[in-house]
Amino acid sequence: MAKTWVNSAERIGADLHLELAGAGGRRAALIEALREAVRSGRLAPGTRLPPYRSLAADLGVARNTVADAYAELVAEGWLTARQGSGTRVAERAEPLRHAERASVKAPPRARASTAPPRARGPKPPPHPGGPRHDLRQGTPDASAFPRSAWLASYRRAIQQAPNEVFGPGDPAGRVELREALTEYLARARGVRTEPDRIVICSGFAHGLRLLFGGRDRVLGGPLAVEAYGLPFHRELLAAAGVRTVPLPLDEQGARVERLARERAVLLTPAHQFPTGGPLHAERRAAVVDWARARGGVVVEDDYDGEFRYDRKPVGALQGLDPERVIYLGSVSKSLSPAVRLGWMVLPERYVGGVLAAKGEREAWASVLDQLSLADFIVSGSYDRHVRRMRQRYRSRRDRLVAALAAQAPHIEVTGVAAGLHAVLRLPPGTEPSAVKAAAWQGIALDGLAEFRHPGTDTAARDGLVVGYATPSEHAYGAALEALCRILPPGGLRDPAPG
């Protein structure tokens, strides 16, 4: 693949989400975007900005454009620049605060469920030995877990932890982690929030249970969902008595104009799962307008928002209206599903209900892991790990595309501009045989049909969902060779009508 605007091997520094819009040149747009990020509080005083090289690569602009923008904002007093310290937001640039906000008091808390949350992700291997080639979606490369950096954060967290840490945990989560997430999500994903709007959970599935489960559920049905999505989520919602209504999909994402009397909608707007592609800008605005007009809410699953390759980052939908969007994320894709930590960024009116659903004490998310993750983020280790893995996964994506172009050029590969998986479009009617052939060859992967909502009128598509992040580096080449061997041959055509 041709070299694109992201993930140059030279990239260093921290992620910074900026929208370069409006009249004028790129320099003027960048200056105004940085001013707005400081004014709104997304970039807090003292925040270190990415180096020229890094931000220029991210935004697809010349390095001198970034250097000139930084220099002008330093001259205006928005930023400071010191040798050895980099460019930072000036200490006097105070972010906006909601002074009028009343403190959120949780109602009497319900007793927490005794059933542990099920992990989101692929099914366990079909036999104890596991598959020879694991290409299931939903799991990062386990061999790449940053053991040394995580251990260093864990040690610092333990050494610096106050005594209260070793008592019962706050169901909202440790304030250190909520503060770190407030800064990180604002900077990297465009999320607008404050620490008292964040509730720590153990992952996306746990977040769904907190919203839709229990006697005093925070949200009720019917819930609109995308026509293709994780069946586990549909099963979880069905078990809670929530009816799901499928929204058709096309090349611009979910058909949100089909929303009607539903109370909420669950979307993957940054990278539709599993078909790929972001929700079109007009539809992003339309679904927020729907939520405002209907008094509804959008539940945003930002499951792999950090990983993008051939397109500019798509900011969180939550940034358009923090009072109408519930934002959920986790470290399951960026770090490891073994670190059972996620977060819910909530409109103010839902915070008390979610805390009540969690119970009096933290029962799911390890307090020590929370402190470790907070240190991991604040120290910059999280940014460095994400960027390193972004490089690795992009290389694997390129190898997959190259292998298919050489050995199966009739197979179309889609959804590869971002994320950790690709969709291989197959000739009509060939998916079942391809999935069976994969199983015979010891390849673990998923057919696209598994993710289709049973009630949708969206036309069925034949395909394979291939997770290129899952194998270890040394096993990936053999997995690609095995994959190409089980694909249906070229020359197959749609069956004749009638």
Side-chain angles (χ1 to χ4, degrees):
M1 279 198 170
K3 185 176 179 181
T4 54
W5 70 277
V6 292
N7 291 328
S8 159
E10 297 180 339
R11 291 181 60 190
I12 57 174
D15 284 353
L16 175 60
H17 175 74
L18 294 172
E19 297 283 353
L20 302 189
R26 306 286 275 173
R27 176 178 172 278
L30 176 57
I31 289 171
E32 183 52 36
L34 287 166
R35 284 197 195 108
E36 178 56 31
V38 175
R39 273 196 299 259
S40 66
R42 284 209 303 118
L43 291 178
T47 299
R48 183 169 181 171
L49 300 186
Y52 306 153
R53 177 194 307 167
S54 175
L55 189 58
D58 276 352
L59 299 177
V61 301
R63 196 179 305 178
N64 286 344
T65 300
V66 179
D68 290 348
Y70 280 9
E72 180 160 332
L73 292 172
V74 168
E76 293 177 1
W78 292 91
L79 306 178
T80 62
R82 291 186 178 89
Q83 186 71 27
S85 181
T87 305
R88 296 179 182 270
V89 177
E91 291 295 338
R92 69 169 183 81
E94 290 295 328
L96 298 179
R97 297 294 179 191
H98 300 275
E100 71 280 7
R101 179 173 297 137
S103 60
V104 179
K105 294 184 178 180
R109 292 171 178 153
R111 296 179 64 183
S113 168
T114 57
R118 292 171 58 188
R120 166 187 176 151
K123 296 178 180 179
H127 50 81
R132 286 196 293 273
H133 308 290
D134 194 348
L135 293 173
R136 288 171 291 186
Q137 60 75 31
T139 305
D141 181 356
S143 68
F145 185 81
R147 301 178 190 225
S148 297
W150 182 260
L151 181 59
S153 287
Y154 193 87
R155 283 174 171 162
R156 282 193 297 267
I158 291 288
Q159 290 169 350
Q160 299 170 10
N163 292 336
E164 66 188 60
V165 164
F166 302 97
D170 182 347
R174 287 297 304 183
V175 67
E176 296 91 341
L177 178 56
R178 290 185 282 120
E179 288 175 345
L181 286 169
T182 298
E183 186 277 333
Y184 173 78
L185 295 174
R187 169 171 57 79
R189 301 296 300 128
V191 171
R192 294 191 287 150
T193 190
E194 294 179 2
D196 64 1
R197 299 286 196 93
I198 297 178
V199 174
I200 303 302
C201 57
S202 65
F204 183 83
H206 186 207
L208 272 190
R209 284 192 173 91
L210 292 173
L211 291 172
F212 292 97
R215 292 175 300 176
D216 300 321
R217 62 179 57 173
V218 178
L219 298 178
L223 170 70
V225 298
E226 293 159 330
Y228 279 78
L230 275 177
F232 167 57
H233 291 165
R234 294 196 295 268
E235 294 164 5
L236 184 156
L237 292 163
V242 177
R243 181 170 67 90
T244 56
V245 180
L247 291 176
L249 293 169
D250 61 20
E251 65 279 359
Q252 295 184 345
R255 297 277 303 277
V256 296
E257 76 275 9
R258 296 276 291 266
L259 286 166
R261 308 179 72 87
E262 295 83 12
R263 299 180 185 179
V265 56
L266 171 60
L267 298 174
T268 51
H271 185 224
Q272 201 287 321
F273 182 85
T275 62
L279 186 64
H280 191 275
E282 291 181 1
R283 294 185 182 179
R284 287 164 63 92
V287 74
V288 171
D289 289 342
W290 166 84
R292 291 168 178 165
R294 297 279 308 172
V297 66
V298 181
V299 180
E300 178 177 12
D301 179 3
D302 194 30
Y303 68 101
D304 64 0
E306 288 99 343
F307 297 106
R308 74 276 176 178
Y309 314 113
D310 298 327
R311 60 169 169 79
K312 294 183 179 181
V314 178
L317 184 69
Q318 188 266 3
L320 297 181
D321 192 337
E323 293 303 320
R324 288 295 167 192
V325 180
I326 296 174
Y327 175 92
L328 286 88
S330 77
V331 298
S332 294
K333 306 295 184 295
S334 58
L335 196 57
S336 169
V339 182
R340 299 302 304 156
L341 288 176
W343 45 85
M344 310 171 71
V345 180
L346 299 161
E348 185 174 10
R349 65 188 181 279
Y350 294 128
V351 175
V354 169
L355 291 177
K358 281 199 77 175
E360 291 287 345
R361 298 179 177 182
E362 177 57 69
W364 311 111
S366 162
V367 173
L368 297 182
D369 283 348
Q370 291 182 51
L371 290 175
S372 300
L373 180 58
D375 182 273
F376 201 67
I377 294 171
V378 171
S379 68
S381 295
Y382 187 72
D383 275 295
R384 288 190 290 272
H385 175 72
V386 167
R387 284 179 172 261
R388 182 170 61 252
M389 298 314 297
R390 196 183 292 153
Q391 292 283 348
R392 177 175 298 189
Y393 295 149
R394 183 189 180 209
S395 173
R396 291 192 184 186
R397 186 279 311 263
D398 290 350
R399 291 172 63 186
L400 169 65
V401 173
L404 292 171
Q407 302 183 49
H410 59 289
I411 300 295
E412 180 186 4
V413 188
T414 64
V416 293
L420 306 182
H421 70 273
V423 175
L424 278 53
R425 296 290 178 85
L426 302 181
T430 62
E431 180 183 320
S433 60
V435 171
K436 184 177 293 185
W440 275 103
Q441 294 294 322
I443 305 171
L445 48 68
D446 297 298
L448 188 58
E450 181 177 348
F451 302 96
R452 186 171 183 264
H453 193 292
T456 185
D457 57 4
T458 296
R461 312 165 184 172
D462 282 73
L464 299 177
V465 180
V466 176
Y468 50 79
T470 308
S472 61
E473 197 68 18
H474 74 273
Y476 188 57
L480 286 183
E481 292 178 6
L483 172 67
C484 291
R485 287 197 297 268
I486 62 94
L487 295 174
L492 297 177
R493 295 288 184 266
D494 292 1

